[in-house]
Amino acid sequence: QVQLVESGGGLGQAGDSLRLSCAASGGLFSWYSMGWFRQVLGKEREVVAAIDRFGGSAYYADSVKGRFTIFRDNAKNAVYLQMNSLKPEDTAVYYCAASSWPLTTAVNEYEYWGQGTQVAVSS
């Protein structure tokens, strides 16, 4: 079993930067590709970014491309999401997730999820 704990969310203004962190425990971290997802109340959970097991390849949703960066540190069992140039539409609960599949954007291919961290961006 892999446990994931997100941190780093909070309140910001448009144009600000935030960094989300996700600490993993209970499994071999480098075995898993990792993803960041977000969800707004009443809407489906959507992928924001994903990264393969060793950080060689990454995927970004079009809405965050050029603003967000996903990276991981396998020695620290952690994955991060650097969010720059935040927009009000980035407001959501952000979730970290782990998948035993290769780099994937499918929600149902992620077996382990964190509890989520709220990000709120005001205009």
Side-chain angles (χ1 to χ4, degrees):
Q1 288 285 344
V2 176
Q3 292 81 44
L4 302 171
V5 179
E6 303 98 333
S7 61
L11 178 64
Q13 293 187 325
D16 282 354
S17 295
L18 284 174
R19 177 178 291 186
L20 304 183
S21 299
C22 174
S25 61
L28 182 58
F29 183 66
S30 60
W31 179 255
Y32 297 94
S33 62
M34 300 297 296
W36 283 99
F37 294 76
R38 66 187 181 188
Q39 189 168 22
V40 175
L41 191 63
K43 295 189 176 181
E44 291 188 355
R45 192 167 296 188
E46 63 175 6
V47 63
V48 175
I51 191 167
D52 69 1
R53 295 171 181 176
F54 296 103
S57 296
Y59 163 88
Y60 296 95
D62 287 343
S63 58
V64 307
K65 204 170 291 184
R67 300 188 298 121
F68 290 11
T69 302
I70 185 172
F71 58 101
R72 64 190 294 164
D73 186 337
N74 286 353
K76 296 183 177 180
N77 290 351
V79 62
Y80 307 92
L81 186 68
Q82 177 66 42
M83 306 186 294
N84 297 332
S85 302
L86 283 165
K87 302 177 179 180
E89 51 263 44
D90 295 321
T91 296
V93 177
Y94 283 72
Y95 297 90
C96 168
S99 173
S100 57
W101 290 78
L103 182 61
T104 178
T105 61
V107 172
N108 61 2
E109 290 182 348
Y110 283 82
E111 295 98 325
Y112 303 103
W113 292 84
Q115 82 288 349
T117 186
Q118 176 72 53
V119 172
V121 183
S122 61
S123 57

